[in-house]
Amino acid sequence: HDHVTLVGSNEADTVAFYRDVLGLPLVLRQPNLDRPAVTHLYFDAGDGRLVTVFVDEDRDSHEGPQEPGVGAVHHVAFRVEAAAIPAIRDRLREAGHEWSEFDRGAFHALYTRDNNGLTVELAADVYEIPDERRGEVLARAHALRVEAGATHVERAHVERALADLGLPVVETGAPEAPSGTGGL
């Protein structure tokens, strides 16, 4: 994908979360070309991908979780380096945001909410997986999960998938967290 565009509240709250807490650089700010009274913010999510947000100074941020319906966005996820997780936790704590973390087998997931209640996931690989082989590794881990009768992909499935595909099994140093299901 190139970018995802969210409908946000006001500029200050949006910049405070996406730039100051998540660390996504604000790279462009201009009027929304379809509705010039609305501001269009562009944040660099890495790898050439962007997250853009339509903001309006007349909108207040939303407290609490969103209740998305069919066709709505459930959450957005960003890939981060495992080593960045502690600093992200610190920034979330300093900004008063709650979070939860889980070992999802193939990746470590930290969940929080943005200034409008949208669930944001920060995913850090548990093992080094080359980008061009990511789908192949996950498909093999899935097949191993099904074969084992497991409810979800576990680290052992990813380790074996990497080995089966002739890739080194190298941990990234992702933090320990409860495994399985849950979220913020």
Side-chain angles (χ1 to χ4, degrees):
H1 79 275
D2 178 77
H3 70 277
V4 171
T5 300
L6 307 173
V7 175
S9 57
N10 58 70
E11 184 171 349
D13 291 350
T14 302
V15 169
F17 182 78
Y18 285 94
R19 184 192 66 195
D20 301 342
V21 174
L22 293 189
L24 305 182
L26 176 62
V27 296
L28 180 63
R29 178 192 183 279
Q30 66 182 21
N32 175 342
L33 299 180
D34 297 320
R35 292 183 59 207
V38 173
T39 301
H40 198 172
L41 304 175
Y42 292 70
F43 297 93
D44 183 355
D47 296 336
R49 296 180 180 104
L50 300 167
V51 173
T52 75
V53 185
F54 293 146
V55 296
D56 186 321
E57 293 312 301
D58 293 332
R59 296 182 195 149
D60 293 325
S61 291
H62 169 76
E63 291 292 324
Q66 292 184 354
E67 297 294 331
V70 173
V73 173
H74 180 270
H75 73 278
V76 294
F78 302 100
R79 191 180 322 163
V80 298
E81 295 295 323
I85 296 288
I88 292 168
R89 275 194 222 119
D90 289 344
R91 291 193 305 268
L92 287 166
R93 185 180 300 109
E94 290 168 10
H97 289 272
E98 294 181 357
W99 72 91
S100 60
E101 295 179 74
F102 295 93
D103 179 343
R104 300 296 197 199
F107 57 94
H108 175 92
L110 183 150
Y111 296 93
T112 191
R113 289 192 187 99
D114 78 357
N115 56 298
N116 293 304
L118 175 65
T119 299
V120 174
E121 175 184 357
L122 305 169
D125 287 335
V126 173
Y127 299 96
E128 291 182 8
I129 302 173
D131 284 340
E132 67 277 4
R133 308 274 313 263
R134 181 170 304 283
E136 183 182 12
V137 170
L138 293 178
R140 179 68 186 135
H142 169 72
L144 293 166
R145 175 197 73 80
V146 170
E147 181 182 301
T151 59
H152 60 279
V153 170
E154 299 169 4
R155 286 185 182 210
H157 302 129
V158 179
E159 288 180 11
R160 182 158 164 221
L162 288 165
D164 287 356
L165 296 168
L167 296 168
V169 178
V170 179
E171 292 190 33
T172 63
E176 293 293 321
S179 65
T181 61
L184 187 64

